[in-house]
Amino acid sequence: MDFVNQLQRKFIDYSSSLHREGIVDDQFTQLRKLEDENSPHFVMEVASLFFEDCEKLINNMAIALEQKQGVDFKQIDECIHQLKGSSSSIGAMRVKNACIAFRSFSDGQNREGCLRCLQQLSHEYSLLKNKLQTLFRLEKQIVAAGGSIPRVH
Amino acid sequence: MVMAASETKFHVLAVDDTLIDRKLIEKLLKTSSYQVTAVDSGTKALEFLGLNNNDHHDVEVNLIITDYCMPGMTGYDLLRKIKESSSFKDIPVVTMSSDNIPSRINRCLEDGAEEFFLKPVQLSDVNKLRPHLMKRRTQTNVNKRKAMDEIVSPDRTRARYNELEVK
């Protein structure tokens, strides 16, 4: 049982650090609260969907920004809008803020500015993905060791 | 025979083109003990209701919750279509959006939406749905009870009529 306690403590500490660093916000906590016996891995499932979505949108924007014959800023704007929405829904605060910053450059039809923002966005996304995957690994370890996921707050 | 407030779950039709938001609203609704059908477009919502073909009216939907920004038919277009339909205009409709645009919110509320939720939708928002559903159910039960009384007690009616005749 001591091993499980250690893992659980690690989970709680890591989870708190994600909040402290602004990687996730209160919406992430709200999603956690929705987890129960019927859907014990709800957050993990929604996060996977988000990762797929994010990668696709970042890729589409990269392609759009490369177009020599002219950048379709309307398409960029739609991608940002979608990504802002889903990052907000999952509580991915820094990704969401990167989208908000991005929007002002795409509104201004500033290609250079957009490229910088996209880089920043990719960085925030990688950070989020790495950290959440670490958290989910801990989650799986706890369950495998016969423990339960600590429900925070 | 009195129709007590039904124990069957309310059935909510959720409409959102974004998969993540659909998953989220579905979870929120199920957590609040609603039966949920989630579709990804206004067109599919109308098909589900049976608005496009008159064959199936046996699907009962007690509330529709829809995203505003959707390709093709927006949530507002869907709201209008529901409210203009003689079969479905009494179904409460709730709209949601990630954008806080007062003119958009007002337009939806003025054109028949019961509530407008800002995304991300919370459990506290979903809790606001119940009064709208209970109101409709009470009204339906009152109507049903009146209808049932008329069917079930013809003798009583006849007796009353006879009494009048005797007088």
Side-chain angles (χ1 to χ4, degrees):
Chain A
M1 266 300 123
D2 196 36
F3 178 56
V4 171
N5 282 340
Q6 269 181 358
L7 283 175
Q8 286 171 327
R9 192 155 312 131
K10 220 171 153 188
F11 176 89
I12 291 172
D13 287 344
Y14 199 71
S15 200
S16 300
S17 74
L18 294 187
H19 284 272
R20 241 186 353 262
E21 290 163 27
I23 308 282
V24 296
D25 60 21
D26 187 61
Q27 177 62 13
F28 191 76
T29 308
Q30 296 306 317
L31 293 185
R32 275 281 179 220
K33 286 185 182 170
L34 293 175
E35 280 183 333
D36 54 21
E37 315 80 52
N38 296 327
S39 54
H41 300 298
F42 178 67
V43 177
M44 228 189 277
E45 286 158 17
V46 177
S48 298
L49 293 175
F50 177 70
F51 296 154
E52 272 176 40
D53 211 32
C54 206
E55 276 164 40
K56 185 189 74 184
L57 290 167
I58 288 177
N59 201 39
N60 289 348
M61 285 192 274
I63 293 172
L65 284 168
E66 265 168 46
Q67 297 311 307
K68 303 289 178 202
Q69 58 270 42
V71 177
D72 183 353
F73 285 103
K74 186 163 174 286
Q75 189 200 355
I76 304 261
D77 197 56
E78 273 165 26
C79 288
I80 297 172
H81 184 260
Q82 258 189 276
L83 195 48
K84 179 172 166 276
S86 36
S87 56
S88 167
S89 291
I90 196 183
M93 190 165 83
R94 280 163 63 152
V95 171
K96 181 186 77 177
N97 288 340
C99 290
I100 294 171
F102 200 154
R103 182 164 254 172
S104 52
F105 287 96
S106 90
D107 281 349
Q109 309 219 338
N110 180 337
R111 184 172 172 272
E112 286 310 310
C114 284
L115 283 167
R116 277 197 307 274
C117 282
L118 187 60
Q119 206 169 20
Q120 180 63 20
L121 183 58
S122 298
H123 168 76
E124 291 299 347
Y125 166 65
S126 295
L127 195 61
L128 173 79
K129 186 172 183 186
N130 278 330
K131 295 209 171 231
L132 284 185
Q133 284 182 330
T134 302
L135 186 71
F136 296 148
R137 248 191 318 272
L138 271 170
E139 215 175 284
K140 287 181 193 155
Q141 279 180 293
I142 293 171
V143 172
S148 58
I149 315 294
R151 298 280 164 224
V152 271
H153 304 134
Chain B
M1 184 164 117
V2 173
M3 197 86 76
S6 180
E7 288 309 316
T8 53
K9 287 184 175 183
F10 288 117
H11 182 195
V12 178
L13 176 62
V15 191
D16 200 315
D17 63 310
T18 310
L19 181 55
I20 289 171
D21 288 346
R22 232 173 20 252
K23 278 249 165 300
L24 188 52
I25 194 73
E26 197 173 2
K27 184 73 185 133
L28 286 168
L29 290 166
K30 282 187 174 160
T31 300
S32 308
S33 303
Y34 296 118
Q35 189 199 337
V36 188
T37 300
V39 296
D40 65 6
S41 72
T43 313
K44 292 210 181 124
L46 293 175
E47 272 170 30
F48 183 79
L49 287 168
L51 214 63
N52 293 331
N53 83 60
N54 292 314
D55 294 341
H56 48 119
H57 271 311
D58 44 8
V59 55
E60 205 201 336
V61 168
N62 304 116
L63 185 136
I64 298 165
I65 182 163
T66 178
D67 186 27
Y68 185 98
C69 279
M70 296 189 291
M73 193 186 296
T74 66
Y76 178 73
D77 297 330
L78 179 61
L79 167 68
R80 291 299 302 266
K81 282 210 151 41
I82 304 287
K83 293 301 160 188
E84 282 160 17
S85 144
S86 51
S87 324
F88 302 111
K89 63 178 164 57
D90 290 330
I91 300 180
V93 179
V94 169
T95 45
M96 357 172 230
S97 177
S98 49
D99 300 311
N100 188 350
I101 301 173
S103 57
R104 174 185 291 186
I105 297 172
N106 289 331
R107 194 159 61 125
C108 287
L109 295 173
E110 276 161 22
D111 286 359
E114 306 288 341
E115 302 268 356
F116 192 109
F117 296 155
L118 280 177
K119 286 180 168 184
V121 177
Q122 310 284 298
L123 257 182
S124 52
D125 294 315
V126 173
N127 289 338
K128 293 180 191 167
L129 299 178
R130 203 157 283 270
H132 298 293
L133 288 155
M134 291 308 295
K135 190 172 68 171
R136 286 286 170 352
R137 179 156 281 180
T138 310
Q139 189 53 50
T140 312
N141 280 345
V142 168
N143 293 341
K144 277 185 187 167
R145 209 181 314 139
K146 280 187 186 162
M148 286 302 290
D149 282 349
E150 278 155 20
I151 297 165
V152 163
S153 326
D155 292 349
R156 220 181 324 146
T157 315
R158 212 179 300 136
R160 225 181 296 139
Y161 184 67
N162 286 339
E163 275 178 26
L164 288 171
E165 276 198 325
V166 164
K167 279 194 181 134

